[in-house]
């Protein structure tokens, strides 16, 4: 009844080392390993409650991992669970907060150093990467703390604090004055949930990522989701969406069992269209929860709705055809043929399909949207844009020339309004229209050097790489323009980021370095990351993914990229050879075929 489980968190490398000036009686061990803590109850094979203090016995490393899991679960008992790990004489050092002030500091554990002291206690120093702050409303806000290290002590739980009694376990001494939660624990004891808000013109639902403790039963899950919707969207998403009407409140708690759920709201207005939209919003925000929903507005019942039927009849994003693969070969867009996959003709007339460096093609209602980077003189480039029925035969070109232009992206809509897109040229972000006119888009960022942009399938969110850092931001399309809300910086283990695209509605595919060039999948809030390829071998200069979502029954995770002038695809991973390019003549004898480049999907 819950969505697919969270992505696996990235393991941390085991390091061994010794320090200087350590007393002879000390034992120093560095442990950077992640791992699964001992489980209590289980939901879908995962523990719903973090392990108890004594579950790890006297094993220091397991105890620390469990301590970094103790705060997981329902927030009203977070301090109680953590204090069970703290020595009674030191519990007052942890200043307790109540209600909505309870917040968990989520960290990525990098390294753990244990030093045995002469009094039989152990000093623990953990090195961390700050990821964010998990609030009671299920949002993971940007990190507030700046600490990269925390230090505390351990002692035996045996009488007198000495000895090695497995049953007595361990206690924490001098605990940090924050509730720490590891990213591994976030993965293990929470379910990631997408709730949805309407965009400003109420034409598209936009996802907002939240975290629900696995310990919350389905009977209360509905209540939590409704409270999240009443509370409004995450801060970074607000510029692109609208919340419920002001002063909307939940009347009593949402109730239900055995496939029947009842929600009663005090909400202004009796607009039947808005109420119907709210039912759709609730149906998608409740994930895959089955059953019937009875919505009441000030105790007035609306017609009972089957949740699955509502989701089936109101799809999230209108994609009616399977994606097709294309690439650039010797300056022209060509289809890429793979066994078992659809392959269509290039939706461009032959006379305009030339001098192309990279491209973005999209389907919009009955039209093709084409945006290409084309060569214009020696080492100069222009943006070329054409729209219309297949094949597009007329292109408009931007006035200025640029030394570099990124692959352009379209901001998708579901109606016939003029199409708009985004592109990076010479380090600045621009919006463009169907006439290839380019307008600078202001960004409030520490670095003005933008190198990549990607647009989500909903057309209301973008990902950016600027100054080597990863950002997400909401898009507002009101008034015929394009404005970008304040970007939110995402934390990642990768450095030197070079490319980004959306792999699903709540996951990004990002290229950078993890000691060597790599491609990771990263959640839209930066909390969870999974390595997809760690042996890329060269800097990724181009990355394109097919962004699946819950209403598109197609395999997810398909992506293609280019590194060092060679193109590759995933699932299965292989180099894209010239033999995959359709409609080209074989090279003359003794001449090596060119490499396909800049691969992308048409959908």
């Amino acid at each position: 009844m819950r969505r697919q489980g969270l992505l696996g968190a990235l393991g941390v490398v085991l390091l061994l080392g010794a320090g200087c000036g350590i007393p002879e009686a000390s034992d120093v061990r560095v442990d950077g390993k992640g791992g699964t803590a001992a489980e209590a109850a289980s939901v879908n094979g995962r523990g719903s409650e973090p392990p108890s203090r004594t579950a790890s016995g006297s094993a220091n490393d397991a105890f620390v991992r469990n301590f970094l899991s103790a705060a997981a679960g329902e927030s009203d008992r977070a301090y109680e669970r953590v204090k069970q790990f703290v020595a009674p004489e030191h519990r007052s050092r942890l200043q307790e907060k109540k209600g909505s002030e309870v917040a968990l500091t989520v960290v990525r554990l990098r390294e753990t150093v244990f030093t045995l002291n002469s009094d039989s206690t152990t000093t623990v120093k953990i090195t961390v990467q700050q990821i964010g702050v998990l609030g009671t409303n299920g949002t993971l806000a940007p990190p507030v703390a700046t600490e990269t290290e925390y230090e505390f002590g351990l002692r035996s739980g045996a009488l007198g604090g000495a000895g090695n009694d497995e049953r007595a376990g361990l206690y924490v001494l001098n605990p940090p004055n924050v509730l720490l939660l590891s990213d591994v624990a976030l993965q293990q004891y929470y379910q990631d949930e997408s709730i949805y808000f309407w965009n400003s013109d109420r034409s598209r639902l936009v996802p907002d990522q939240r975290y629900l403790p696995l310990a919350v039963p389905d009977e209360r899950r509905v209540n939590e989701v409704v409270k999240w919707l009443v509370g409004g969207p995450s801060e970074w998403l607000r510029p692109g969406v609208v919340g419920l009407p002001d002063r909307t409140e939940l009347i009593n708690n949402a109730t239900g069992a055995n496939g029947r759920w009842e929600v009663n709201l005090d909400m202004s207005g009796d607009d039947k269209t808005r109420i119907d939209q709210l039912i759709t919003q609730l149906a998608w925000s409740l994930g895959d929860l089955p059953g019937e929903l009875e919505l009441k507005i000030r105790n007035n019942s609306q017609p009972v709705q089957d949740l699955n039927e509502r989701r089936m009849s109101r799809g999230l994003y209108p994609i009616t055809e399977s994606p097709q693969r294309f690439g650039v070969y010797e300056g022209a867009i060509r289809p890429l043929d793979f066994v078992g996959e659809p392959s269509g003709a290039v939706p461009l007339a032959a006379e305009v399909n030339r001098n192309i460096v990279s491209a973005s093609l999209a389907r919009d209602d009955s039209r093709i949207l084409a945006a290409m980077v084309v060569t214009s003189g020696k080492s100069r480039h222009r943006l070329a844009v054409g729209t219309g029925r297949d094949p597009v035969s007329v292109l408009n070109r931007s006035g200025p020339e640029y030394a570099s232009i990124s692959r352009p992206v379209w901001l998708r809509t579901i109606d016939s309004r003029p199409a708009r897109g985004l592109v990076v040229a010479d380090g600045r972000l621009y919006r463009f229209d169907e006439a290839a006119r380019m307008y600078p888009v202001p960004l409030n960022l520490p670095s003005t050097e933008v190198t990549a942009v990607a647009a989500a399938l909903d057309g209301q969110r973008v990902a950016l790489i600027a100054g080597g850092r990863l950002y997400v931001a909401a898009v507002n399309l009101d008034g015929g323009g394009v404005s970008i809300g304040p970007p939110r910086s995402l934390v990642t283990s990768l450095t030197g980021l070079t490319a980004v695209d959306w792999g699903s509605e709540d996951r990004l595919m990002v290229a950078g370095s993890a000691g060597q060039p790599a491609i990771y999948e990263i959640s839209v809030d930066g909390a969870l990351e999974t390595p997809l390829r760690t042996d890329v071998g060269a800097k990724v200069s181009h990355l394109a993914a097919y962004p699946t979502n819950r209403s598109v029954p197609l395999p997810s995770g398909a992506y293609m990229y280019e590194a060092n002038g060679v193109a590759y695809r995933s699932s299965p991973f292989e180099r894209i050879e010239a033999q995959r390019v359709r409609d080209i003549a074989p090279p003359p004898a003794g001449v090596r075929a060119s490499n396909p480049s800049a691969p992308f999907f048409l959908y």
Side-chain angles (χ1 to χ4, degrees):
M1 298 177 72
R2 297 189 184 273
R3 291 186 57 203
Q4 184 178 356
L6 302 181
L7 295 174
L10 186 65
V12 186
V13 178
L14 175 67
L15 300 174
L16 297 176
C20 299
I22 300 173
E24 184 177 353
S26 295
D27 175 24
V28 176
R29 185 160 56 87
V30 180
D31 181 13
K33 294 182 295 181
T36 303
E39 295 186 2
S42 178
V43 174
N44 295 331
R46 289 190 288 156
S48 61
E49 292 279 359
S52 67
R53 179 185 65 82
T54 58
S56 57
S58 60
N60 289 344
D61 50 356
F63 177 82
V64 169
R65 291 197 297 271
N66 289 351
F67 175 58
L68 296 178
S69 302
E74 299 193 65
S75 60
D76 59 347
R77 293 183 52 241
Y79 278 94
E80 176 186 340
R81 291 190 297 270
V82 172
K83 285 187 173 182
Q84 294 300 312
F85 280 72
V86 179
E89 66 272 20
H90 286 183
R91 287 174 184 169
S92 61
R93 297 172 184 255
L94 189 60
Q95 299 175 358
E96 189 166 346
K97 297 180 180 179
K98 301 290 185 181
S100 61
E101 293 185 349
V102 176
L104 310 187
T105 299
V106 183
V107 297
R108 184 169 289 124
L109 185 61
R110 293 301 196 193
E111 183 180 86
T112 306
V113 179
F114 300 97
T115 304
L116 180 61
N117 302 315
S118 58
D119 60 357
S120 297
T121 64
T122 298
T123 298
V124 182
K125 181 181 291 186
I126 59 174
T127 302
V128 301
Q129 183 181 39
Q130 297 284 345
I131 295 177
V133 178
L134 183 63
T136 56
N137 62 353
T139 62
L140 186 73
V144 175
T146 58
E147 287 84 356
T148 59
E149 291 183 346
Y150 291 97
E151 186 174 304
F152 50 90
L154 302 181
R155 73 162 172 82
S156 171
L159 187 64
N164 189 25
D165 190 336
E166 287 287 331
R167 293 170 300 176
L170 299 169
Y171 275 121
V172 170
L173 306 173
N174 300 311
N177 192 26
V178 291
L179 296 182
L180 294 176
L181 183 75
S182 70
D183 60 336
V184 175
L186 181 66
Q187 174 211 349
Q188 187 168 359
Y189 300 110
Y190 291 82
Q191 183 70 32
D192 65 332
E193 303 277 352
S194 286
I195 62 173
Y196 293 84
F197 293 92
W198 289 102
N199 63 353
S200 56
D201 64 4
R202 297 183 172 273
S203 63
R204 185 73 56 88
L205 282 171
V206 183
D208 188 5
Q209 183 151 4
R210 303 295 172 101
Y211 294 93
L212 185 71
L214 287 175
V216 174
D218 283 321
E219 290 74 15
R220 288 182 40 230
R221 179 184 175 198
V222 176
N223 194 68
E224 293 301 308
V225 168
V226 174
K227 287 197 300 183
W228 290 346
L229 291 173
V230 170
S234 297
E235 193 66 30
W236 75 272
L237 198 59
R238 288 182 186 276
V241 299
V242 293
L244 301 187
D246 291 342
R247 295 184 294 279
T248 297
E249 293 182 0
L250 184 61
I251 300 176
N252 301 319
N253 287 327
T255 58
N258 301 320
R260 176 82 177 213
W261 317 99
E262 180 180 305
V263 175
N264 193 0
L265 293 177
D266 182 358
M267 188 175 74
S268 62
D270 295 315
D271 187 313
K272 293 186 180 299
T273 300
R274 293 290 175 87
I275 292 173
D276 187 72
Q277 288 179 334
L278 175 57
I279 293 172
T280 301
Q281 186 177 359
L282 281 167
W284 280 110
S285 296
L286 290 171
D288 55 2
L289 191 71
E292 295 181 328
L293 172 68
E294 180 182 359
L295 176 64
K296 296 181 178 181
I297 304 298
R298 295 188 299 276
N299 297 313
N300 295 317
S301 293
Q302 308 300 312
V304 175
Q305 301 288 323
D306 182 275
L307 290 171
N308 282 329
E309 289 182 3
R310 173 59 64 128
R311 290 188 284 262
M312 290 291 291
S313 64
R314 308 289 208 286
L316 284 174
Y317 317 111
I319 295 182
T320 57
E321 299 182 38
S322 298
Q324 299 174 8
R325 298 178 192 257
F326 291 88
V328 176
Y329 187 82
E330 295 185 343
I333 297 175
R334 302 291 186 187
L336 300 176
D337 285 344
F338 291 94
V339 176
E341 293 188 2
S343 179
V346 178
L348 292 179
E351 60 267 22
V352 298
N353 188 11
R354 54 193 176 85
N355 301 326
I356 295 172
V357 177
S358 65
S360 176
L361 304 180
R363 295 189 179 99
D364 177 18
D365 194 15
S366 59
R367 301 188 304 165
I368 291 291
L369 308 180
M372 287 86 65
V373 179
V374 298
T375 56
S376 178
K378 186 176 181 180
S379 301
R380 305 297 290 177
H381 301 87
R382 281 182 172 171
L383 179 69
V385 179
T387 62
R389 294 192 177 275
D390 185 356
V392 174
S393 59
V394 178
L395 297 182
N396 299 305
R397 286 175 168 78
S398 61
E401 296 180 343
Y402 300 91
S404 66
I405 304 180
S406 73
R407 184 173 75 96
V409 297
W410 290 100
L411 296 171
R412 292 171 177 264
T413 61
I414 59 173
D415 50 33
S416 58
R417 75 183 72 183
R420 289 160 288 184
L422 295 170
V423 68
V424 176
D426 287 352
R428 294 191 64 183
L429 181 66
Y430 293 85
R431 66 176 174 91
F432 63 86
D433 58 19
E434 294 182 13
R437 292 182 294 244
M438 296 170 59
Y439 307 89
V441 178
L443 292 173
N444 184 19
L445 290 174
S447 172
T448 59
E449 182 70 17
V450 183
T451 53
V453 61
L457 191 57
D458 50 69
Q460 302 289 154
R461 300 171 299 157
V462 295
L464 302 161
I465 295 176
R469 300 184 65 179
L470 179 62
Y471 297 87
V472 290
V475 178
N476 191 305
L477 301 176
D478 291 346
V482 176
S483 61
I484 306 294
R488 171 181 171 173
S489 176
L490 301 186
V491 178
T492 171
S493 296
L494 291 174
T495 59
L497 306 183
T498 59
V500 62
D501 205 356
W502 292 78
S504 67
E505 65 177 17
D506 57 3
R507 297 291 188 266
L508 300 169
M509 292 184 179
V510 184
S513 176
Q516 60 182 354
I519 299 174
Y520 278 21
E521 187 174 63
I522 299 173
S523 60
V524 73
D525 55 14
L528 307 170
E529 56 180 26
T530 297
L532 299 177
R533 291 210 65 82
T534 56
D535 57 351
V536 173
K539 183 176 75 172
V540 173
S541 57
H542 173 96
L543 176 66
Y546 175 64
T548 56
N549 67 87
R550 292 165 54 203
S551 64
V552 177
L554 291 172
S556 62
Y559 64 97
M560 299 182 289
Y561 68 92
E562 182 179 341
N564 197 28
V566 178
Y568 299 87
R569 73 154 181 161
S570 68
S571 306
F573 174 75
E574 64 178 354
R575 177 173 175 169
I576 302 176
E577 303 279 1
Q579 294 89 327
R580 297 293 188 182
V581 182
R582 181 152 46 100
D583 302 331
I584 61 170
V591 177
R592 184 176 180 179
S594 301
N595 287 328
S597 63
F600 64 93
F601 296 91
L602 168 61
Y603 49 90

